[in-house]
């Protein structure tokens, strides 16, 4: 028997401190099961390279819960350890056994699926246990079986014991604060979270359930299979295995598989997002060699793809000791670019191969495309080919197609091609009708990102200008040779402006602008100019500015050629004149949903009085 101390030097004390960086105690199980999986994969590698015939096929990891004795057992029948190896990998904390193994057997981490540093993962068990026992027997038959015990201090006991079967058993004596981990369902959920797709069978059992073992993982997940061997049902089944609470199927998916210059596999699913930018509960999962790491993929996956779901598995994504905080470097940036390219290629392929089906899915995916075009230039450069718009008449166009269709008839006075659009068909109905009566095309741009996207599109193509259909009178938005002369003199115009200013409905002091419009047009029009409305929609400062002082930014357009204007000027009774102005204004305000409070109540009361007279 040996009484000794764990080797702690200036070179390896840092990893001991690092164990406190684990964000959750629960990861102890991931670390121990990962180590057990490593041991089995190492054994398979050795058996293959050294032509060992007596290695059994029934290789597995057992997790056993013993509530009576308050212990958790993690057992494997893998490579095991000799006495010297225990000293090296356990007593010298966080020595990289995986790294040394790979060098010794001249194989790559990718091919061998060795997960990581044994010592440090092993010591995560002391987050939940006040005592840990280890039994191990090396695959080398001449080696002795070893017992090792420690109670969470640098002191340990190590001795040779009676021969055991090959492999390692770790016994955790849980502390009072960690009794939750004795619950079968708690451990089951942890395994399903962290170890659901580990490449070695994991069996879970409990003494309270008569030690009946249940296999709780899928060792052959879809992302590790050849896409040519998978059908749609395989992908859909895998999606629901990943996200059992999701009732709807995904729209489509992208299978990732690259070996150079980095290794990465995975599947990304496009869920039905519609117009919402949800705070995703079900996110993309990051794995390393089929071991779950995190669902925080900031820096790896571009922000706009965080709306997707699925799995990314790569050994080339660097992690710090806690395996949960990602470090940004050149490799990560290359991976991000690769994922962006694969997604854009998939969308472009769907667009070219079956445009009709792509258009049917557009409402569900446009928020992702718009977000990507705004935030990621590489994606914008590709997406400009499959970005589509649809009109009031539900006809779809690409940017290039729509530009060609309207280039001869929809131009402003600067000569730019005007892309008229509506953000709300019902609210802007009268303005849309004015445009349609003149045979103009009107797009529907109703996503929360539309205003940001059109800014970028105008920068991309200097010949086009997006204008919401209610931002001015249609005759001002589209330049026409036909002009209307005013039937009022300059003096009458000034008198009219003064009268309207004097008799504006209480609480509404909009800026007034007189325009020579058609006699068929409305007498009044209320607008917010395009550039002011964009400020309001694009940032909170602008929105606060406009909403706080909206009277300053709304413009009241007065049609000098409407018959009502002459009647106002000819009316001699001041009260009647005021009533005419306010009545017409109330109707205009009502059409813009701007008539509120006392003014709305007074308007309705007066209308009811008129009806019963």
């Amino acid at each position: 028997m040996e009484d000794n101390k764990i080797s702690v030097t200036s070179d390896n004390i840092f990893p001991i401190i690092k164990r406190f960086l684990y964000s959750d105690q629960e990861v102890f199980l991931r670390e121990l099961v990962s180590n057990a999986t490593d041991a089995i994969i190492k054994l398979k590698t050795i058996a293959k390279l050294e032509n060992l015939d007596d290695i059994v096929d029934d290789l597995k990891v057992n997790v056993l819960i013993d509530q009576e004795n308050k212990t958790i057992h993690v057992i494997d029948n893998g490579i095991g350890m000799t006495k010297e190896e225990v000293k090296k990998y356990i007593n010298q904390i966080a020595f990289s056994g995986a790294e040394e193994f790979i060098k010794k057997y001249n194989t790559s981490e990718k091919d061998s699926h060795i997960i990581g540093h044994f010592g440090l993962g092993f010591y995560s068990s002391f987050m939940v246990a006040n005592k840990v026992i280890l039994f191990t027997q090396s695959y080398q038959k001449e080696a002795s079986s070893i017992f090792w015990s420690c109670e969470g201090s640098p002191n340990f006991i190590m001795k040779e014991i009676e021969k055991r079967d090959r492999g390692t058993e770790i016994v955790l004596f849980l502390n009072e604060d960690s009794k939750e981990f004795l619950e079968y369902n708690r451990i089951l959920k942890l395994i399903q979270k962290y170890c659901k797709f580990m490449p070695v069978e994991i069996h879970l059992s409990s003494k309270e359930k008569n030690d009946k073992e249940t296999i709780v993982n899928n060792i052959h997940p879809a992302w590790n299979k050849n896409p040519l061997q998978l059908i749609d049902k395989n992908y859909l089944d895998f999606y629901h295995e990943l996200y059992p609470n999701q009732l709807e199927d995904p729209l489509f998916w992208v299978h990732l598989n690259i070996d150079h210059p980095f290794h990465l596999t995975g599947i990304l699913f496009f869920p039905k997002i519609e117009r919402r930018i949800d705070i995703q509960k079900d996110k993309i999962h990051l794995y390393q060699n089929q071991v779950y790491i995190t669902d925080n993929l900031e820096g790896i996956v571009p922000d706009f793809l965080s709306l997707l779901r699925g799995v990314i598995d790569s050994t080339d994504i660097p992690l710090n000791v806690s395996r949960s905080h990602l470090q940004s470097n050149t490799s990560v940036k290359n991976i991000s670019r690769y994922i962006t390219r694969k997604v854009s290629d998939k969308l472009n392929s769907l667009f070219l191969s079956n445009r009709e089906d792509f258009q049917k899915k557009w409402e569900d995916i446009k928020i992702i495309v718009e977000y990507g075009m705004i935030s990621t230039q590489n994606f914008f450069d590709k997406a400009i080919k499959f970005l589509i718009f649809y009109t009031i008449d539900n006809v779809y166009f690409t940017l290039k197609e729509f530009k060609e269709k309207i280039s001869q008839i929809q131009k402003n006075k600067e000569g730019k091609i005007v892309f008229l659009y509506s953000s709300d068909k019902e609210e802007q109905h009268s303005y849309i009708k004015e445009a349609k009566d003149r045979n103009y095309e009107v797009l529907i741009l109703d996503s929360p990102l539309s205003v940001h996207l059109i800014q970028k599109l105008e920068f991309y193509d200097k010949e086009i200008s997006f204008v919401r259909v209610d931002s001015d009178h249609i005759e001002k938005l589209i330049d026409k040779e036909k002009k209307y002369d005013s039937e009022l003199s300059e003096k009458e115009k000034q008198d009219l402006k003064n009268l309207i200013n004097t008799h504006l409905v209480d609480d509404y002091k909009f800026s007034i602008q007189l325009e020579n419009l058609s006699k068929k047009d409305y007498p009044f029009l209320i607008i917010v100019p395009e550039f002011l409305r964009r400020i309001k929609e694009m940032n909170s400062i602008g929105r606060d500015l406009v909403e706080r002082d909206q009277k300053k930014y709304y413009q009241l357009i007065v049609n000098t050629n409407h018959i009502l204007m002459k009647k106002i000027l000819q009316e001699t009774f001041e009260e009647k004149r005021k009533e005419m102005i306010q009545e017409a204004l109330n109707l205009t305000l009502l059409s813009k949903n701007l008539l509120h409070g006392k003014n709305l109540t007074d308007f309705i009361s007066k209308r009811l009085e008129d009806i019963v007279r």
Side-chain angles (χ1 to χ4, degrees):
M1 178 185 292
E2 293 186 25
D3 288 333
N4 212 324
K5 287 193 175 183
I6 296 167
S7 174
V8 178
T9 71
S10 59
D11 291 327
N12 58 26
I13 193 170
F14 187 66
I16 301 175
I17 299 170
K18 284 291 187 181
R19 72 185 178 91
F20 293 104
L21 294 182
Y22 281 106
S23 56
D24 294 303
Q25 284 188 326
E26 65 185 33
V27 298
F28 82 91
L29 190 64
R30 178 188 72 186
E31 298 300 311
L32 295 182
V33 174
S34 296
N35 289 338
T37 301
D38 277 351
I40 289 172
I41 294 172
K42 286 179 182 178
L43 183 66
K44 287 181 178 179
T45 304
I46 290 173
K48 183 178 179 181
L49 294 175
E50 298 185 359
N51 296 316
L52 301 179
D53 298 326
D54 59 343
I55 301 298
V56 296
D57 293 330
D58 185 25
L59 298 173
K60 63 184 179 180
V61 176
N62 284 329
V63 178
L64 170 64
I65 302 167
D66 185 345
Q67 289 187 344
E68 182 179 349
N69 293 308
K70 300 178 183 178
T71 58
I72 295 177
H73 302 243
V74 179
I75 308 163
D76 69 73
N77 54 357
I79 191 172
M81 287 182 286
T82 64
K83 184 176 182 180
E84 289 70 27
E85 287 168 338
V86 172
K87 288 180 179 180
K88 193 173 189 178
Y89 302 140
I90 301 299
N91 298 349
Q92 297 183 51
I93 296 174
F95 191 98
S96 180
E99 184 178 343
E100 185 178 13
F101 179 85
I102 291 165
K103 288 178 181 177
K104 179 179 178 181
Y105 287 96
N106 193 27
T107 183
S108 72
E109 191 167 347
K110 170 177 72 69
D111 294 332
S112 64
H113 292 284
I114 305 304
I115 292 164
H117 302 254
F118 179 84
L120 184 59
F122 169 75
Y123 276 89
S124 69
S125 57
F126 284 99
M127 291 190 295
V128 297
N130 51 31
K131 180 180 180 181
V132 177
I133 291 176
L134 180 148
F135 301 94
T136 187
Q137 168 60 49
S138 171
Y139 79 101
Q140 301 173 31
K141 295 179 181 178
E142 69 278 8
S144 301
S145 294
I146 302 299
F147 167 89
W148 183 96
S149 174
C150 179
E151 297 187 9
S153 73
N155 300 305
F156 69 88
I157 295 173
M158 186 172 75
K159 63 181 179 180
E160 295 182 7
I161 56 173
E162 184 179 342
K163 205 77 169 175
R164 291 170 55 94
D165 292 336
R166 183 197 67 241
T168 299
E169 177 178 1
I170 296 171
V171 185
L172 277 61
F173 293 80
L174 298 187
N175 57 44
E176 287 298 314
D177 295 334
S178 303
K179 288 183 178 178
E180 61 179 291
F181 298 112
L182 292 172
E183 298 296 328
Y184 182 89
N185 287 337
R186 180 77 166 104
I187 294 297
L188 176 61
K189 287 180 180 178
L190 288 185
I191 294 176
Q192 289 175 337
K193 177 179 179 179
Y194 292 109
C195 313
K196 191 172 186 176
F197 301 107
M198 278 191 178
V200 173
E201 280 188 7
I202 301 169
H203 295 239
L204 176 62
S205 60
S206 169
K207 285 192 177 293
E208 284 64 40
K209 293 181 178 288
N210 300 317
D211 292 338
K212 182 180 179 183
E213 294 183 3
T214 303
I215 300 175
V216 290
N217 65 323
N218 173 5
I219 64 174
H220 299 297
W223 79 77
N224 273 348
K225 296 179 181 178
N226 188 328
L228 298 177
Q229 298 175 338
L230 300 173
I231 60 175
D232 288 356
K233 185 178 185 303
N234 299 136
Y235 285 105
L236 294 174
D237 288 346
F238 176 63
Y239 177 78
H240 291 294
E241 183 180 3
L242 268 178
Y243 307 110
N245 295 325
Q246 289 296 332
L247 301 179
E248 288 189 300
D249 289 341
L251 298 167
F252 48 87
W253 45 85
V254 182
H255 199 129
L256 308 170
N257 194 340
I258 185 172
D259 283 318
H260 185 78
F262 50 82
H263 176 70
L264 181 144
T265 57
I267 302 172
L268 297 181
F269 294 94
F270 279 72
K272 285 190 175 182
I273 295 175
E274 299 175 340
R275 295 183 57 193
R276 304 180 307 275
I277 301 182
D278 295 328
I279 298 175
Q280 294 278 22
K281 179 182 178 183
D282 293 325
K283 301 178 181 179
I284 299 172
H285 297 169
L286 175 65
Y287 282 74
Q288 281 199 353
N289 288 330
Q290 298 177 225
V291 180
Y292 174 82
I293 305 299
T294 182
D295 62 5
N296 177 15
L297 275 70
E298 183 179 354
I300 295 176
V301 173
D303 286 346
F304 76 98
L305 295 181
S306 63
L307 299 172
L308 304 187
R309 300 188 179 114
V311 167
I312 291 172
D313 191 332
S314 175
T315 56
D316 291 314
I317 297 172
L319 307 172
N320 73 359
V321 71
S322 72
R323 295 190 179 184
S324 60
H325 297 89
L326 306 173
Q327 300 170 346
S328 179
N329 63 6
T330 302
S331 178
V332 170
K333 291 175 182 176
N334 289 336
I335 287 171
S336 179
R337 282 194 287 267
Y338 165 74
I339 294 171
T340 299
R341 177 172 60 82
K342 289 293 289 184
V343 169
S344 58
D345 287 348
K346 176 69 174 185
L347 290 167
N348 192 49
S349 172
L350 292 170
F351 173 72
L352 293 175
S353 62
N354 191 339
R355 179 163 172 169
E356 184 178 351
D357 185 59
F358 186 82
Q359 289 172 179
K360 288 178 182 177
K361 292 182 169 72
W362 183 246
E363 277 299 291
D364 292 310
I365 65 172
K366 71 178 181 180
I367 201 78
I368 297 174
V369 175
E370 290 177 350
Y371 191 3
M373 293 183 74
I374 292 165
S375 61
T376 309
Q377 187 60 44
N378 290 343
F379 184 77
F380 179 95
D381 295 338
K382 291 179 175 290
I384 197 69
K385 298 175 183 177
F386 56 77
L387 172 71
I388 54 177
F389 307 100
Y390 57 92
T391 67
I392 292 294
D393 302 316
N394 209 38
V395 180
Y396 285 81
F397 296 91
T398 63
L399 182 76
K400 182 180 178 181
E401 291 166 349
F402 193 69
K403 181 180 175 182
E404 289 175 354
K405 180 173 179 61
I406 66 171
S407 61
Q408 300 303 314
I409 58 171
Q410 292 183 207
K411 288 190 175 182
N412 61 20
K413 59 185 178 182
E414 286 84 25
K416 289 192 174 186
I417 300 168
V418 177
F419 281 45
L420 291 174
Y421 71 95
S422 167
S423 59
D424 190 314
K425 285 196 296 185
E426 296 302 317
E427 187 175 300
Q428 296 149 19
H429 181 269
S430 62
Y431 299 92
I432 294 170
K433 183 177 183 301
E434 291 289 331
K436 294 295 291 180
D437 286 346
R438 291 164 173 78
N439 295 318
Y440 297 150
E441 294 286 352
V442 180
L443 299 172
I444 295 292
L445 298 179
D446 57 358
S447 91
L449 298 178
S450 292
V451 68
H452 299 274
L453 178 62
I454 63 180
Q455 290 280 115
K456 189 144 188 173
L457 292 173
E458 288 172 340
F459 182 79
Y460 166 78
D461 188 338
K462 299 295 194 293
E463 294 182 346
I464 66 175
S465 175
F466 284 82
V467 183
R468 205 167 83 176
V469 71
D470 63 341
S471 61
D472 208 335
H473 190 275
I474 192 65
E475 300 289 356
K476 301 281 287 182
L477 300 178
I478 307 291
D479 189 46
K480 285 296 179 183
E481 292 182 3
K482 184 177 180 180
K483 305 294 181 185
Y484 296 102
D485 296 325
S486 176
E487 297 186 5
L488 302 181
S489 67
E490 291 302 316
K491 182 181 183 305
E492 287 175 318
K493 286 183 180 180
Q494 189 58 50
D495 290 344
L496 180 64
K497 189 172 184 178
N498 291 338
L499 285 169
I500 293 172
N501 253 326
T502 302
H503 298 304
L504 274 175
V505 177
D506 290 345
D507 297 332
Y508 296 95
K509 298 294 182 184
F510 305 143
S511 62
I512 297 174
Q513 185 173 324
L514 275 60
E515 297 283 354
N516 304 329
L517 305 176
S518 166
K519 292 181 179 180
K520 296 179 180 179
D521 289 323
Y522 292 131
F524 296 122
L525 194 69
I526 294 173
I527 65 165
V528 177
E530 179 73 15
F531 78 96
L532 287 174
R533 186 186 47 74
R534 286 199 196 181
I535 291 174
K536 173 184 174 181
E537 293 179 359
M538 288 186 71
N539 61 78
S540 59
I541 296 174
R543 181 163 58 249
D544 292 343
L545 182 68
V546 175
E547 290 177 354
R548 185 174 62 247
D549 198 8
Q550 63 179 7
K551 303 164 193 173
K552 180 178 177 182
Y553 292 99
Y554 278 117
Q555 286 186 0
L556 178 65
I557 305 296
V558 179
N559 180 5
T560 62
N561 289 331
H562 195 280
I563 190 172
L564 178 64
M565 302 310 151
K566 282 200 171 184
K567 287 190 173 183
I568 290 171
L569 289 169
Q570 292 167 359
E571 180 58 54
T572 56
F573 290 102
E574 189 67 18
E575 194 59 35
K576 179 65 174 175
R577 182 185 285 164
K578 176 183 177 181
E579 185 179 327
M580 292 167 67
I581 293 172
Q582 292 199 347
E583 196 76 355
L585 277 171
N586 276 328
L587 290 170
T588 307
L589 290 164
L590 195 61
S591 71
K592 289 287 288 183
N593 196 29
L594 292 173
L595 193 61
H596 304 296
K598 180 178 181 298
N599 293 318
L600 177 59
T601 303
D602 291 345
F603 176 74
I604 294 172
S605 297
K606 189 172 187 311
R607 293 271 58 80
L608 289 172
E609 289 175 8
D610 292 342
I611 291 171
V612 297
R613 279 180 186 171

